[in-house]
Amino acid sequence: MTSKLPGRSCEDVDEQALSYAEVKALATGNPLIKEKMDLDVKVTKLKLIKANFVSQRYRLEDNILKAYPRAISIQTEQKNALIEDQKLFESKRPSKDHFEMTIGNVFHTDKKEAGTAILEVIKKLKDDKTRLIGQYAGFKMAAKYAGFDGVDLYLKNQATHTVHLGTDPLGNITRIGHVLESIPEQIKKCEMNIQDTVERLENARDEVKKPFPQEQELNDYLLRLNELNTILSVEHSDHSQGTPDNEATQADHLEYMEMCAIDEGEWEPEQ
């Protein structure tokens, strides 16, 4: 349905059908048949391995052209946004003795009062729409009702930082501060993700250049299998050309002898 080739395949030994010549050769202990059957199994397995190898190469090529560059671009944009947010927070960072937060149109300098005001605002949230509720340290604050999970608060500048709110006024203020304090760690995480993706891209470029490691082995098996098929086909052809003619000759001779005996009145059918 997707026009792609899913790598789902299996082999069924019951599907190995033997020709008349192969059955006869097995019965007579022909070693060529055993060799052919062994090669059939080996070739089938190697073809499955190669199919998976080719499928993996297609995935690598897709990652090289699309997935990895897109991931690097997104992570770089996120990193740059976090750097700008860090600069803003450093310029607006509140001190231990100085706190400022605006909730609605009310300016608060007390953490507990600000926390209580946040709780009063979020009580009115009844749907999943995001609503602006205030400002803190240069960041806009918006909140959204998250159903049974409570309420999520978003601090927005260049990037968006999410805080899951609880029921404690001071606890919520502490959570907001911790999220902004963690921006340097988020920047480092983005840098690590970018480096990891770049390494994956380079590894993929190296891997996609590698040939199927068992290509020569598969070709050798196929060549020998073709030789065996030719030999067995010749044997079967010789058998087909010889045996039916002999049987027909014997049948004709028997019929002729029976007719002669009937004409002379000397022949009687066996009881």
Side-chain angles (χ1 to χ4, degrees), residues 30-78:
N30 189 339
L32 295 180
I33 292 300
K34 183 179 185 304
E35 182 182 359
K36 177 186 181 304
M37 295 178 67
D38 291 340
L39 283 177
D40 282 335
V41 173
K42 291 178 180 179
V43 167
T44 299
K45 290 182 178 179
L46 282 179
K47 284 184 176 180
L48 288 175
I49 294 173
K50 184 176 181 179
N52 291 333
F53 176 85
V54 172
S55 179
Q56 177 66 19
R57 175 180 287 176
Y58 289 152
R59 286 194 294 269
L60 288 175
E61 290 174 348
D62 185 67
N63 289 337
I64 291 171
L65 294 175
K66 300 178 182 179
Y68 291 149
R70 182 170 59 248
I72 292 173
S73 176
I74 293 173
Q75 293 161 0
T76 301
E77 290 179 3
Q78 179 69 9

Side-chain angles (χ1 to χ4, degrees), residues 94-112:
S95 63
K96 293 182 179 180
D97 301 325
H98 184 73
F99 173 83
E100 295 180 354
M101 178 178 285
T102 301
I103 304 298
N105 296 322
V106 181
F107 182 75
H108 298 275
T109 57
D110 182 79
K111 292 182 178 181
K112 187 173 183 180

Side-chain angles (χ1 to χ4, degrees), residues 7-20:
R8 296 190 291 265
S9 57
C10 66
E11 60 174 306
D12 186 353
V13 294
D14 290 337
E15 293 297 324
Q16 297 291 340
L18 299 178
S19 67
Y20 171 81

Side-chain angles (χ1 to χ4, degrees), residues 22-224:
E22 292 171 340
V23 173
K24 180 179 179 182
L26 279 176
T28 58
N30 189 339
L32 295 180
I33 292 300
K34 183 179 185 304
E35 182 182 359
K36 177 186 181 304
M37 295 178 67
D38 291 340
L39 283 177
D40 282 335
V41 173
K42 291 178 180 179
V43 167
T44 299
K45 290 182 178 179
L46 282 179
K47 284 184 176 180
L48 288 175
I49 294 173
K50 184 176 181 179
N52 291 333
F53 176 85
V54 172
S55 179
Q56 177 66 19
R57 175 180 287 176
Y58 289 152
R59 286 194 294 269
L60 288 175
E61 290 174 348
D62 185 67
N63 289 337
I64 291 171
L65 294 175
K66 300 178 182 179
Y68 291 149
R70 182 170 59 248
I72 292 173
S73 176
I74 293 173
Q75 293 161 0
T76 301
E77 290 179 3
Q78 179 69 9
K79 173 189 171 183
N80 293 336
L82 289 170
I83 290 175
E84 293 300 318
D85 284 5
Q86 178 64 17
K87 292 178 181 179
L88 175 63
F89 183 60
E90 289 295 337
S91 65
K92 301 287 186 178
R93 182 194 295 268
S95 63
K96 293 182 179 180
D97 301 325
H98 184 73
F99 173 83
E100 295 180 354
M101 178 178 285
T102 301
I103 304 298
N105 296 322
V106 181
F107 182 75
H108 298 275
T109 57
D110 182 79
K111 292 182 178 181
K112 187 173 183 180
E113 289 180 359
T116 301
I118 291 175
L119 292 177
E120 291 297 324
V121 170
I122 64 176
K123 285 181 181 179
K124 301 176 182 178
L125 300 177
K126 301 299 182 182
D127 53 37
D128 59 354
K129 294 182 179 180
T130 303
R131 289 179 170 81
L132 186 66
I133 66 170
Q135 187 172 352
Y136 174 66
F139 291 80
K140 295 179 180 179
M141 295 195 304
K144 183 178 73 171
Y145 178 64
F148 293 106
D149 294 329
V151 176
D152 288 331
L153 184 138
Y154 305 102
L155 299 161
K156 297 184 177 182
N157 182 45
Q158 296 296 318
T160 300
H161 312 268
T162 305
V163 182
H164 186 69
L165 298 178
T167 58
D168 179 49
L170 288 176
N172 287 333
I173 299 299
T174 301
R175 293 182 185 185
I176 293 171
H178 284 169
V179 168
L180 296 180
E181 293 285 351
S182 70
I183 292 178
E185 296 179 7
Q186 297 179 51
I187 294 174
K188 290 181 180 179
K189 185 177 180 180
C190 275
E191 292 174 343
M192 293 176 61
N193 289 337
I194 292 172
Q195 181 62 31
D196 179 67
T197 306
V198 169
E199 291 177 0
R200 288 172 179 266
L201 176 59
E202 295 302 321
N203 291 336
R205 285 173 175 167
D206 292 337
E207 287 294 324
V208 80
K209 297 177 183 179
K210 296 179 180 180
F212 179 54
Q214 296 170 281
E215 185 70 35
Q216 186 58 49
E217 182 181 4
L218 176 58
N219 290 335
D220 291 342
Y221 286 159
L222 289 172
L223 181 61
R224 178 55 180 164

